[in-house]
Amino acid sequence: MSDIAITTLAERPELHQKLREFSGSWPKFMQQDPIGTALMGRVPELFPEHVLLALEGDELVAHGRSIPFVFPDEDRAELPAGGWNQALMWGVADQRNGRTPTVASALEISITAGHLGRGLSHDMLAAMRRNVQAMGLKTLYAPVRPNGKEDPSRPMTEYIREFREDGLPVDPWLRVHVKAGAEIVKVAPASMVMAGSLDEWREWTGLPFDRTGEVIVPKALVPVRCDVEHGYAVYVEPNVWVRHDL
């Protein structure tokens, strides 16, 4: 998009406050992952060169974050079931221990509502691939959140095998990655975990949470498990690992 410039936080550190104030489109319950709460905010501080900023004039219209880490390794033979959470933990741990990363994982591409549907997701992913490659990293992974999955009861392993007539995935976000050259690897069944009291879940979703069992929450990819007797509910989100060889 010719009127939008994409840069990094390392190049434009004065934009840190605008990044902090950026309003994304995550539903409230998705902001309750404790690992994300603890570590996601540290990515701009620890890895400013991995934070992409898309500017239209002076307005921040999108941003993306990735995180570098060592993979594979002696204790990291496979992409983890813990998906997004594990990528965050590996990246921060490797940085703390002074390890030289070999790959990176995308963490987020977030676009303001007014700029959705304009192809900016493709531009941001392309910029992330170039940025990671320029750092000498050989692969960009991504624990993709397939937000086109509308049936929470449908297994993710089944959903990712659904393709259009042109051979591309039916899911819009998986399609963006595959069109950019990614390969779908496997499901990360416990990529994020959100647990809370029933009162918290009522606040986050506006739903009653008054029956034990599965609760269908708008924008959740699988049902939330509710336990009325013990007064809590848990959402374990599956994501989908994809691999971009750079």
Side-chain angles (χ1 to χ4, degrees), residues 213-230:
E214 295 186 342
V215 179
I216 304 303
V217 173
K219 298 190 177 180
L221 302 184
V222 296
V224 177
R225 302 279 181 170
C226 174
D227 187 328
V228 171
E229 181 183 356
H230 295 95

Side-chain angles (χ1 to χ4, degrees), residues 73-88:
D73 195 29
E74 184 177 349
D75 60 345
R76 302 175 185 176
E78 297 183 8
L79 288 170
W84 190 86
N85 277 343
Q86 193 64 63
L88 258 176

Side-chain angles (χ1 to χ4, degrees), residues 154 157-164 168-171:
R154 188 175 188 192
T157 50
E158 200 177 283
Y159 178 69
I160 65 173
R161 292 197 296 267
E162 188 173 332
F163 296 89
R164 307 189 310 183
L168 292 169
V170 296
D171 185 79

Side-chain angles (χ1 to χ4, degrees), residues 95-179:
Q95 193 274 344
R96 183 187 305 124
N97 294 323
R99 305 187 73 193
T100 301
T102 55
V103 303
S105 174
L107 293 173
E108 177 184 24
I109 291 176
S110 186
I111 300 168
T112 57
H115 286 77
L116 292 172
R118 296 175 57 185
L120 188 50
S121 59
H122 295 272
D123 294 339
M124 289 295 288
L125 180 57
M128 188 175 288
R129 283 170 52 104
R130 290 193 301 269
N131 191 50
V132 167
Q133 186 176 27
M135 293 182 221
L137 303 178
K138 60 185 180 182
T139 308
L140 173 67
Y141 293 99
V144 176
R145 183 175 202 265
N147 52 15
K149 183 178 183 292
E150 296 179 348
D151 181 359
S153 63
R154 188 175 188 192
M156 185 67 79
T157 50
E158 200 177 283
Y159 178 69
I160 65 173
R161 292 197 296 267
E162 188 173 332
F163 296 89
R164 307 189 310 183
E165 288 185 2
D166 60 5
L168 292 169
V170 296
D171 185 79
W173 263 117
L174 285 175
R175 193 160 61 245
V176 168
H177 283 269
V178 170
K179 287 177 76 172

